[in-house]
Amino acid sequence: MPKRVDHDQRRREIAAALCRLAGERGLEGVSLSEVAAAAGMSKGLVQHYFRNKDLMLRYATGYLRERLEQRVADRTAAATSQPRELLRAVLLALLPLDRNDRTESLVATAFLFRALQDPAVAERFREGHTLLHTALITWIEATYPPGRVAPVQEADMLLALVSGLGDAVLLGYHTPEQATAILDRQLERLDAASAAQPG
């Protein structure tokens, strides 16, 4: 019998190879031939799945989102079941705290520059931001009693904070430990603000 091929898995393997290369030298210098070699496939096979580089890049944005969702799932699974600790775990998952996180953050940054020129990639970024923002609102609402904090505004603030901290870690302004400490201070301020409100 002919061998069954998992086409989705093949696409993910191609996207993973693209991301490894992009993490080393950005997106623009990566060719289909190089991605094929990194994935252990022929260029023709890669082109069977993606007719051109643009289609491959757009698919890879979905792969990056899957990787982020898995990182969030892993972090929250390792946390306690307390809502405050789960919120912290989600936010930590958005920071480049280890080598794998750093590579994926570098690739995401490369895609951000691509999004400035590619409306389809820009739309994927907006979709991802909206999903993340909505999820954070839910985590905040689960953590703090109703009326104690403004969930939408706090989600905006926390997303801006982890975005800036992520860049600072990538550029070496802060170590992962320093970034974690800054995030913890912001959460402590949020805790204090919630406790100070009449209940």
Side-chain angles (χ1 to χ4, degrees):
M1 291 193 51
K3 182 180 179 182
R4 293 178 65 90
V5 176
D6 186 334
H7 297 293
D8 286 338
Q9 180 60 28
R10 282 266 177 87
R11 290 185 184 91
R12 284 192 290 272
E13 289 170 2
I14 293 167
L18 167 66
C19 290
R20 286 195 301 274
L21 293 172
E24 295 170 2
R25 59 177 186 270
L27 289 173
E28 300 311 318
V30 177
S31 69
L32 283 172
S33 298
E34 290 172 314
V35 172
M41 302 177 190
S42 68
K43 181 179 178 181
L45 183 56
V46 171
Q47 288 176 314
H48 170 74
Y49 290 105
F50 304 105
R51 293 192 311 275
N52 56 51
K53 183 177 175 180
D54 285 343
L55 292 174
M56 182 173 61
L57 292 175
R58 289 168 191 168
Y59 177 87
T61 62
Y63 172 80
L64 280 176
R65 185 181 298 175
E66 286 180 8
R67 295 291 307 141
L68 176 58
E69 289 170 353
Q70 185 60 55
R71 200 156 72 234
V72 168
D74 291 344
R75 292 273 186 176
T76 53
T80 69
S81 59
Q82 295 298 316
R84 168 63 161 71
E85 289 307 305
L86 291 171
L87 173 62
R88 180 178 184 269
V90 170
L91 293 166
L92 287 174
L94 304 179
L95 293 174
L97 299 180
D98 62 28
R99 185 174 180 176
N100 289 335
D101 296 349
R102 179 181 176 82
T103 297
E104 290 175 11
S105 292
L106 287 170
V107 176
T109 300
F111 270 103
L112 177 61
F113 285 104
R114 178 77 181 193
L116 299 176
Q117 302 170 348
D118 187 330
V121 173
E123 181 58 26
R124 296 303 298 274
F125 264 80
R126 285 190 290 270
E127 289 172 2
H129 183 273
T130 298
L131 289 170
L132 186 54
H133 187 257
T134 300
L136 265 184
I137 291 170
T138 301
W139 285 112
I140 292 167
E141 289 174 339
T143 302
Y144 300 102
R148 297 291 184 92
V149 299
V152 174
Q153 289 88 341
E154 295 300 339
D156 288 337
M157 181 72 72
L158 290 169
L159 277 177
L161 176 63
V162 293
S163 177
L165 287 174
D167 291 344
V169 172
L170 291 177
L171 291 168
Y173 301 153
H174 292 307
T175 65
E177 293 77 17
Q178 289 169 331
T180 299
I182 292 168
L183 174 61
D184 283 336
R185 286 199 295 274
Q186 180 58 32
L187 289 174
E188 287 163 6
R189 289 192 183 102
L190 191 53
D191 295 340
S194 172
Q197 295 297 321

